[in-house]
Amino acid sequence: MSPLLRRLIERARLPLVDELSLEEFLDGVSKERAQALLFLSGDGANRPETGDVAVVLPELLSHFSDRLRGAVIAPEAEERLRPRLHAYVSPSLVVMRGREPVGVMPKIWDWADYIAKIEGFLDPCAPVLAGPKRPQVEISFRAGA
């Protein structure tokens, strides 16, 4: 783990979660009637924006203190969790409602854009992100027809 992530976790007192501990974290957040804000850093590898998002994350958690709880996705778990979280770009912040992703914010954004987007994601009517779409037409062949 990079020194950047270590400092973020220590200073902001954020849990480091992987596939197993993510479920427990999300369950705890739901019991608090809050939503989760997950940070996928890409562990800083050739991504200068990772440091910027690491600075913004604690500020966002402070701004939405009664509604968001933050966690850092363990770098070794990121690739396995990306499809579930719909986060294919690093760095990304993912807002979760229960165990479902509601929104993904890749790279760095302006403060006003973060606030507006997260407000929208926190709306109870905001749809969760859907998985990959299945084909709309299915073709089947019968042998001997």
Side-chain angles (χ1 to χ4, degrees), residues 24-100:
E24 184 179 329
F25 172 76
L26 294 174
D27 288 345
V29 169
S30 292
K31 287 178 186 170
E32 294 179 27
R33 299 186 191 271
Q35 289 181 220
L37 184 62
L38 307 176
F39 179 40
L40 289 91
S41 69
D43 205 17
N46 297 319
R47 294 176 179 93
E49 292 175 318
T50 296
D52 297 333
V53 177
V55 169
V56 170
L57 175 58
E59 298 300 321
L60 290 170
L61 293 170
S62 177
H63 182 84
F64 292 101
S65 64
D66 58 335
R67 298 188 284 166
L68 280 179
R69 302 293 176 265
V72 175
I73 300 295
E76 63 275 6
E78 284 187 9
E79 288 307 312
R80 293 183 300 273
L81 286 170
R82 284 184 189 286
R84 175 181 175 197
L85 301 175
H86 298 269
Y88 298 100
V89 174
S90 290
S92 284
L93 294 175
V94 180
V95 176
M96 304 285 287
R97 181 186 311 124
R99 293 182 177 205
E100 301 293 328

